[in-house]
Amino acid sequence: MENFIHDIPTKVYFGKGQISHLDEALRQFGTRVLMTYGGGSIKKTGLYDEIMKILNDGGFTVFELSGIDPNPRVESVEEGVKICRENKVDVVLAVGGGSTLDCSKAICSGYYYEGDDLWYMIKNVKGRKKSLPLVDILTISATGSDFDAGGVISNMKTNEKLGASFTYPSVSILDPTYTFTVSRYQTAAGAADIMSHIMEGYFSVTPDSELSDGLAETILKTVIKNAPIALAEPENYSARANLMHAESIACSGIPEFGKKYTGWPCHAMEHQLSAFYDITHGVGLAILTPRWMRHILKKDPSCQWRFVRFARNVWGLEGYDEAELAQKGIDALEKFFTDCGIPMTLTDLGIGTEHFEAMAAQANGGGRLSGAFVPLTEEDVVEIYKACL
Ligand code: NZQ
Ligand code: ZN
């Protein structure tokens, strides 16, 4: 078991009606608020009005940044920093999904960045940064951005999508009822993202971080049970709540504590798909993951033990032929994604081979994939992309 540091300073209010804590969550930092949100779902669902009533009743001064795209752009970060600086904002309130939260984290850090080039900050400045306080209200279960310090920002001019560490939210309000309106497509994509956050760390060479492996398996089973229920019954509170609890813990680092870091190869490969083709993150992960699994199992059959454990403990598969079990676990995962309605090939998304080499080079930037569960070269990555066609 490896050393680890547990250092998560976020206060989480989980459950129905927890928006009642919004006033106090913001007020501890001041009364000048930048409210950030995406393309308008919060207006359609009525959440915007509910929040504005609380802010108006509380005498807060509110500035707004709307239109944050899925795969948030550096231009939105620049705009948000400008609003915060010009208006001496005390606290940022992010309302939405991972894209809004990530963009808001970058805004919070960008506020204090001494320099004009925020893309430079995102690309080059390592580690958590001095930041404005961030409060968030999450509306979709997927990324875990409500309980981690990371953010992923895109620069479509350079076809780059980069993850960076910014700041933890000070307060996250997680009310599963806000996810009732998430579409089937985004619900399925979110489920795939949660599962990927687990699988990226679960498939590790460390054999003895038992609590982490057990947490990981339970989170996977939680998603496997509840995602189909949420797809069939979007307003099933129990299913939505279990997905929200799972998403929050899955990307927090907790299910990886004590395990050797793997470099998260499927995320490295997926971020290139998003950077070049602006696709939905969870869909890219669902397409890549079973292909990556088959590739590494073939490349290095000594990793089979992990796939056997995955088949038995996650999918409940039985049998003595371990090679067969390993394959069946991967097949079960692929079938699960298909049954959730996720398009399962890159061809389905209109993606061809034209950028595979460039994407593989970026995915392996800094030799990042050499530390993966089974180390990957750029040639491996191109083969995996091809297997996804
Ligand atoms: O923009 P609006 O109108 O709000 O609509 C959004 C968007 O179209 C919609 N949506 C969200 N909540 C809704 C809703 N529609 C109806 N009802 C609701 N309650 O869903 C769409 C997707 O939203 P987005 O925020 O993009 O989704 P998600 O949470 O999956 O975030 C994806 C982004 O997060 C990054 C991804 O790469 C991607 O850029 N990630 C962030 C991570 C982190 N911070 O730790 C880790 C992840 O691995 C991931 O890379
Ligand atoms: Zn992800």
Side-chain angles (χ1 to χ4, degrees), residues 142-143 193-194 196-197 251 264 267 271 281-282 285:
T143 62
D193 193 21
I194 302 168
S196 177
H197 295 161
C251 201
W264 284 39
H267 274 66
H271 283 168
H281 174 62
L285 291 170

Side-chain angles (χ1 to χ4, degrees), residues 240-257:
R240 292 293 195 183
N242 275 291
L243 288 175
M244 199 166 226
H245 192 190
E247 74 82 37
S248 192
I249 304 297
C251 201
S252 66
I254 293 171
E256 273 182 277
F257 283 171

Side-chain angles (χ1 to χ4, degrees), residues 33-55:
V33 179
L34 171 66
M35 179 168 155
T36 57
Y37 53 98
S41 70
I42 66 163
K43 290 199 170 166
K44 282 191 209 131
T45 61
L47 181 56
Y48 175 87
D49 291 338
E50 191 179 358
I51 293 168
M52 286 312 274
K53 181 166 182 348
I54 293 169
L55 298 182

